[in-house]
Each structure stands twice: as structure tokens, then as C-alpha cells.
Amino acid sequence: MRDIVYPPVVGIAKTAFKVLDVRFRLVGTENVPRTGGAVIALNHISYVDFVIGGFGAQPSKRLVRFMAKDVLFRNRISGPLMRGMHHIPVDRGAGAASYREALRYLGEGELVGVFPEATISRSFELKEFKSGTVRMAAAAGVPVIPMILWGTQRMLTKDHPRDFSRHRDISITVGTPITVTRQDDAGEATEHLRTTMAGMLDETIRAYPEQPPGAWWLPASYGGGAPTPEEAERLDQEELSRRRAKHRER
């Protein structure tokens, strides 16, 4: 796949990281294969996760094609960039086309980035996973590479103002590849992936250099001020209701 836009964008991002003095804590990045297709499964806690998640594949000199909301591709600013980097638009009302496109990319030896939770977690813990990640990997005959991001929520996430302060710590933990076949039960394979990533998330949080009690960006179960998963689910439902009301008004 010919890349004209992606490499310069990576260069700009790396320059921005240096200016902001982002301190990356990379663990297990050697698990990202240097060749061949794979599905990168990431937790979702921030609007900048696709940028930081892509950085996690840089040690292997790979580019990640993320599956992202189609609204980003319609935006006059982000649209040309998303298309130029060959990311994959996802229309939740017609997901079959994006699924086929992802399979095509995987068949061509690309890395496809997926957020199994589908939406940002307000609790910063893992939400329930959709089964599409493991089904896609099984259909394409490629491994799933679990990846955990931590610290990105402090930059830009739901319900909080953006904060691109300097000297910020960002952790990226990459787990060992998980093989899924068509014979595996999708529900069981999805739960195995979630359990694996939950353990990785716990290790990543505990190794993070900052653990201030009551911090809004720290999960409630770790003594932080973030909503509990139950509270986060309520907030998600309220947000969904507001969106539906706006849609009806149109």
C-alpha cells in the first residue's frame, strides 16, 4: 500500500511528542510483528488513542490502519488525513462494508487497529467487548495483538477539558499474540481477550509513576475519582438518549 500522507503525519506527531516532552513507557512492543497481517486490539480511554496506539507499532516499523467512526472521514480537516492514511471508516448502521475492507487489509499484510469496546470508557476500566475483533482475526487467519494505553485520558477524553501539558507520562503495553480460529467460540475467545487485557491494564496502572488518590483520571477501584463502571454506564445511556433526541428533532 502506497503511503504518502502517513509518514509525514507520524513525523509531525513525533515532533509534537518531543515538544511536549511526553515520556513514553513502552513494554512488549517487540510483540508487534514486523511483517504480515494482525489485528491490534486496544482499550479506549481517550480521543487521541489512535495516535498513541499507532506509536506503539513504531518500534516494529509498522503503520496501523485504524477502524474509526465515519464522521471523522466526513470532516473537512480530519477527512483527507484519515483517507490519506488509509484508515477504515465505520458506519455503525452498515458495518459489513468496513468489516470487508478490514479483511482485505489484513489479507494484504496490514495491521488493523480495533477498539473492542467501541466507545470511550468513562470509568477508564474495560467495558464489555464486541466480538467483531476476534471474528475478524479468525476469518483473516491472523493473530490478535492486545495493546493497553494509559495516560492518554489525561490529554483528551469525555467530560473533561483538553490538557496537553508538558512532561506527561504515557504507557503502552503490548501483549503476546493470541491465535483465534474459525473453530473457536467467538464469545469465549472475546472473553479471553478481555480477561487478558484486563490483567495487562492492571499491571500498567500499577506500574504508572503517578497514583494520586482521588485523581479524576484514576479508576474508582484504584482510589481515583473516575466514575465506577456502573456510573459510567448510566452516563453513557444518558448521552445516547440526548443524541437520539437531537436526531429526532432533525
Side-chain angles (χ1 to χ4, degrees):
M1 186 175 293
R2 188 181 182 189
D3 282 296
I4 298 174
V5 176
Y6 214 146
V9 170
V10 170
I12 292 170
K14 287 182 176 180
T15 299
F17 295 151
K18 288 182 179 179
V19 171
L20 293 173
D21 188 30
V22 177
R23 297 179 294 235
F24 283 100
R25 304 169 65 85
L26 306 178
V27 176
T29 53
E30 69 277 1
N31 288 315
V32 177
R34 290 184 173 271
T35 60
V39 176
I40 308 291
L42 308 93
N43 65 317
H44 204 4
I45 54 177
S46 168
Y47 291 110
V48 299
D49 286 341
F50 73 97
V51 177
I52 306 299
F55 189 76
Q58 283 295 294
S60 293
K61 296 180 170 52
R62 300 296 302 276
L63 299 175
V64 183
R65 319 296 176 176
F66 284 93
M67 301 186 74
K69 294 179 181 178
D70 61 343
V71 66
L72 294 173
F73 294 78
R74 297 196 301 268
N75 183 278
R76 66 184 182 86
I77 297 175
S78 63
L81 291 175
M82 297 295 284
R83 290 189 294 272
M85 290 186 283
H86 304 292
H87 293 313
I88 305 169
V90 178
D91 180 351
R92 291 181 180 173
S98 57
Y99 183 82
R100 289 194 298 270
E101 185 75 348
L103 288 180
R104 182 175 72 82
Y105 277 28
L106 292 169
E108 294 175 355
E110 298 286 342
L111 298 180
V112 173
V114 180
F115 298 102
E117 299 164 277
T119 60
I120 289 175
S121 170
R122 284 182 159 98
S123 71
F124 308 127
E125 298 190 59
L126 297 183
K127 297 160 64 77
E128 291 303 311
F129 279 18
K130 307 296 184 183
S131 64
T133 302
V134 299
R135 290 190 291 105
M136 183 189 306
V142 301
V144 178
I145 313 295
M147 181 183 290
I148 290 294
L149 309 177
W150 190 250
T152 59
Q153 76 275 30
R154 301 175 67 184
M155 291 181 168
L156 184 61
T157 192
K158 288 185 175 182
D159 308 326
H160 295 277
R162 69 185 66 189
D163 181 3
F164 290 97
S165 301
R166 300 184 72 239
H167 317 305
R168 185 64 47 82
D169 291 289
I170 298 293
S171 296
I172 303 176
T173 304
V174 184
T176 56
I178 297 173
T179 300
V180 184
T181 69
R182 290 177 181 270
Q183 286 69 44
D184 293 324
D185 179 87
E188 292 180 0
T190 299
E191 186 56 33
H192 172 65
L193 174 63
R194 186 180 183 280
T195 299
T196 299
M197 292 180 64
M200 292 169 56
L201 177 61
D202 177 67
E203 292 176 1
T204 303
I205 293 174
R206 294 183 186 282
Y208 195 70
E210 298 179 65
Q211 302 279 340
W216 67 263
W217 49 267
L218 194 63
S221 60
Y222 292 81
T228 64
E230 293 75 22
E231 292 169 338
E233 176 62 24
R234 177 180 58 79
L235 293 171
D236 287 347
Q237 291 303 317
E238 290 175 356
E239 179 185 28
L240 182 60
S241 296
R242 289 193 297 271
R243 287 182 178 177
R244 287 173 174 169
K246 288 183 179 179
H247 181 72
R248 288 194 295 270
E249 291 175 359
R250 294 173 185 172

